[in-house]
């Protein structure tokens, strides 16, 4: 593989992980990089996990990164001949769903709810700021224009008198 491309891929993966507010994805990435595994985790793996979890919001890609980087000694990840991902527990139980799917979905739902609450707060704050800005309904400009005209009238009458 091209080392520069691998470095860019790792940098992109790190940027995704850095979005995790609890830092779990970064810790999982660091642990993965320190491990002796030959299995690479890529941005494509994160995208696949996002798709499987129903996550479309790219700002929450760190949840997909958690899923892609998650490892446990009693679970292994495999692919079918068609390329579909499945999980096999060491007692022989296999499943299509990520072993932490319920927890990851709850995390996604909580993150979306938090974002919605922040967005609502921002809309309220912006609405308040708009109401606090003095409105220029034209009266101020009209007064300034009248004063200017009055000043011109006084100035021209002063010129005529001299």
């Amino acid at each position: 593989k091209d080392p520069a491309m691998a470095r860019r891929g790792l940098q992109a993966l790190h940027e995704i992980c850095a979005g995790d507010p609890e830092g779990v994805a970064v810790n999982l990435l660091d642990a993965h990089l320190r491990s002796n595994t030959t299995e690479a985790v890529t941005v494509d793996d994160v995208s696949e996990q996002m798709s499987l979890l129903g996550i479309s919001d790219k700002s929450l890609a760190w949840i997909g990164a958690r899923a892609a980087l998650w490892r446990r000694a009693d679970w292994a990840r495999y692919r079918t001949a068609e390329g579909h991902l499945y999980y096999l527990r060491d007692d022989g139980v296999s499943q299509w769903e990520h072993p932490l799917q319920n927890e990851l979905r709850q995390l996604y739902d909580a993150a979306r709810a938090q974002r919605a609450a922040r967005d609502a707060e921002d809309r309220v704050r912006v609405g308040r700021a708009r109401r606090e800005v003095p409105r220029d309904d034209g009266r101020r400009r009209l007064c300034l224009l009248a004063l200017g005209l009055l000043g011109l009238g006084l100035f021209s009458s002063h010129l005529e008198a001299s």
Side-chain angles (χ1 to χ4, degrees):
K1 280 190 167 183
D2 177 15
M5 184 182 288
R7 210 172 21 260
R8 282 192 301 274
L10 183 59
Q11 182 179 5
L13 190 57
H14 194 274
E15 288 172 9
I16 289 169
C17 292
D20 186 339
E22 297 170 1
V24 173
V26 171
N27 291 339
L28 288 170
L29 178 60
D30 289 343
H32 177 74
L33 294 173
R34 283 192 311 269
S35 72
N36 293 328
T37 184
T38 57
E39 180 188 8
V41 175
T42 67
V43 173
D44 290 340
D45 295 320
V46 172
S47 295
E48 179 182 36
Q49 289 295 331
M50 289 175 65
S51 176
L52 292 170
L53 292 166
I55 299 173
S56 57
D57 185 344
K58 290 189 186 340
S59 70
L60 298 176
W62 55 268
I63 299 170
R66 280 191 187 189
L69 291 162
W70 178 84
R71 298 289 182 274
R72 240 178 60 184
D74 57 338
W75 283 97
R77 232 193 294 231
Y78 294 100
R79 291 200 180 270
T80 64
E82 297 81 24
H84 300 290
L85 188 62
Y86 71 96
Y87 299 88
L88 179 65
R89 200 167 53 200
D90 60 4
D91 64 0
V93 173
S94 66
Q95 64 187 48
W96 296 111
E97 297 83 20
H98 192 286
L100 296 179
Q101 180 161 336
N102 292 335
E103 291 87 345
L104 293 164
R105 285 294 308 168
Q106 288 172 355
L107 186 62
Y108 175 58
D109 292 341
R112 285 183 54 201
Q114 258 184 340
R115 168 157 298 133
R118 268 196 320 268
D119 290 349
E121 271 181 32
D122 289 347
R123 283 192 299 278
V124 167
R125 197 174 15 260
V126 167
R128 263 194 227 122
R130 283 188 183 140
R131 284 192 299 273
E132 292 169 3
V133 172
R135 295 184 188 257
D136 182 5
D137 57 4
R139 285 184 285 188
R140 184 170 179 252
R141 270 186 264 156
L142 188 61
C143 286
L144 290 173
L145 180 64
L147 285 173
L149 291 174
L150 182 62
L152 281 176
L154 291 174
F155 183 69
S156 63
S157 63
H158 176 70
L159 285 176
E160 290 172 5
S162 3

